Amino acid sequence: KETNLNPRYTFDNFVVGSFNELAHAAALAVADNPGLTYNPLFVYGGTGLGKKHLIQAIVNKISDGTRKKNVKYISSEKFVSSIVSAIRTNSMEAFKASLAPIDVLVLDDIQFIAGKNKSQEEFFHVFNSLYEKNKQIILSSDRPPNAIPELEDRLRSRFEGGMIADVSLPEYETRLVILKTKLQEKNMELPEDVLEYIATNVKKNIRELEGALNRLLIFFKINN
């Protein structure tokens, strides 16, 4: 409940292309051996390119596994507000203690922590504590660690000490496959030339691609 994970975000329906091949392979390796393969795993890329799908796929796979793991998936914004609350109520030690039993910590949009000195300091201690116990840390961002302004050097060096994988813009062929996959999920069909037209003209990101397909399907349904 607390994580708000989307059960639809799995590796099975994640479309792999040259634009996300490395990130997908690294994510799969982490899901199979959390804490032992790439630690931390740092996935970055622009909005709507599938970062959230990928990191939630890792968590969903780990959560479904036979070896039960204590997983915490949280946005950096919520993490910062938890630290602020702990400072205000003088309960920082209790907050740190609540993170101690975690096997896998996933922080979404880690760039949000930049410039917040106390939050960076506390996260540094949490990171070290989990890392030393071989607990898996997964981070996502809209840019690589060296491009996040006001990020402490000691955090940047720890992020860069693991696997950094980017998710870039999908090429035409992959955009076409994504459209066909989405259609299959919705159990609907559209002519090939229509899909080719969308794939040719919508290049910005996957979310926009899906949005264009959805608008077309609604129009198609209403107007028969």
Side-chain angles (χ1 to χ4, degrees), residues 116-176:
K116 299 172 177 69
N117 294 341
K118 185 63 179 170
S119 296
Q120 290 193 67
E121 184 187 334
E122 295 304 337
F123 179 59
F124 177 75
H125 297 308
V126 168
F127 184 103
N128 283 347
S129 172
L130 293 174
Y131 183 81
E132 282 163 13
K133 295 176 199 160
N134 287 327
K135 307 297 186 182
Q136 181 67 51
I137 300 158
I138 301 165
L139 309 163
S140 83
S141 173
D142 60 356
R143 66 201 83 170
N146 61 10
I148 301 175
E150 294 185 82
L151 182 68
E152 287 184 7
D153 287 340
R154 58 182 180 172
L155 276 179
R156 184 178 284 114
S157 72
R158 271 157 181 74
F159 296 170
E160 290 175 342
M163 165 62 84
I164 299 176
D166 75 312
V167 178
S168 53
L169 292 170
E171 66 284 349
Y172 169 79
E173 291 81 4
T174 308
R175 294 199 296 272
L176 198 55

Side-chain angles (χ1 to χ4, degrees), residues 77-112:
E77 197 168 357
K78 195 172 177 185
F79 184 78
V80 169
S81 68
S82 299
I83 288 174
V84 170
S85 175
I87 292 168
R88 200 176 63 244
T89 56
N90 236 346
S91 58
M92 186 55 75
E93 291 311 309
F95 172 70
K96 285 183 191 170
S98 72
L99 296 173
I102 287 169
D103 296 310
V104 182
L105 175 65
V106 187
L107 269 181
D108 210 355
D109 292 324
I110 193 66
Q111 74 275 2
F112 185 78

